[in-house]
Amino acid sequence: VDPNSVGNATKATLKEDKKWAWSIGFDDNTFLQPSLDLLNAKGWAGTLFMISDKIDDTREQDWIIDVPDLHNLLDQGWAVGNHTWAHECFGQFHCSLP
């Protein structure tokens, strides 16, 4: 990291010529559904970075996001990344990183 660049920021290029973007972070895979419901009600979508070893195939409980929920979110336009140093994509699906 160049010490002269610390604290500098540039405006990111936004998809589809959008005028603004909003970033929000959630911890882990738990208790996200109420917040996701609010964002979906506005027609907004984003990228969730999930802890992949905590994702279960069939748990389907309302307190944690798992595979069935992720497939629904992907169908609604969300992207999913893996919350690791590499932030790898969830399966063969969408990834917000180059």
Side-chain angles (χ1 to χ4, degrees):
V1 175
D2 177 4
N4 295 321
S5 68
V6 173
N8 292 335
T10 58
K11 182 179 181 281
T13 303
L14 303 177
K15 291 181 180 178
E16 302 170 5
D17 269 346
K18 292 181 179 161
K19 300 206 184 284
W20 64 275
W22 176 46
S23 296
I24 185 169
F26 299 102
D27 287 336
D28 306 332
N29 308 5
T30 58
F31 303 106
L32 297 178
Q33 198 59 55
S35 298
L36 297 176
D37 291 341
L38 291 172
L39 295 170
N40 283 329
K42 297 253 184 216
W44 298 346
T47 303
L48 296 175
F49 286 95
M50 308 297 287
I51 301 171
S52 62
D53 66 350
K54 304 293 184 212
I55 299 171
D56 191 81
D57 288 334
T58 59
R59 184 172 20 211
E60 296 187 38
Q61 295 175 1
D62 64 356
W63 64 275
I64 192 164
I65 301 297
D66 278 323
V67 170
D69 305 304
L70 292 175
H71 285 286
N72 289 335
L73 289 167
L74 289 166
D75 290 343
Q76 296 169 18
W78 288 78
V80 178
N82 188 11
H83 198 280
T84 65
W85 286 108
H87 288 97
E88 298 167 2
C89 297
F90 169 68
Q92 73 275 23
F93 298 101
H94 313 277
C95 187
S96 64
L97 300 176

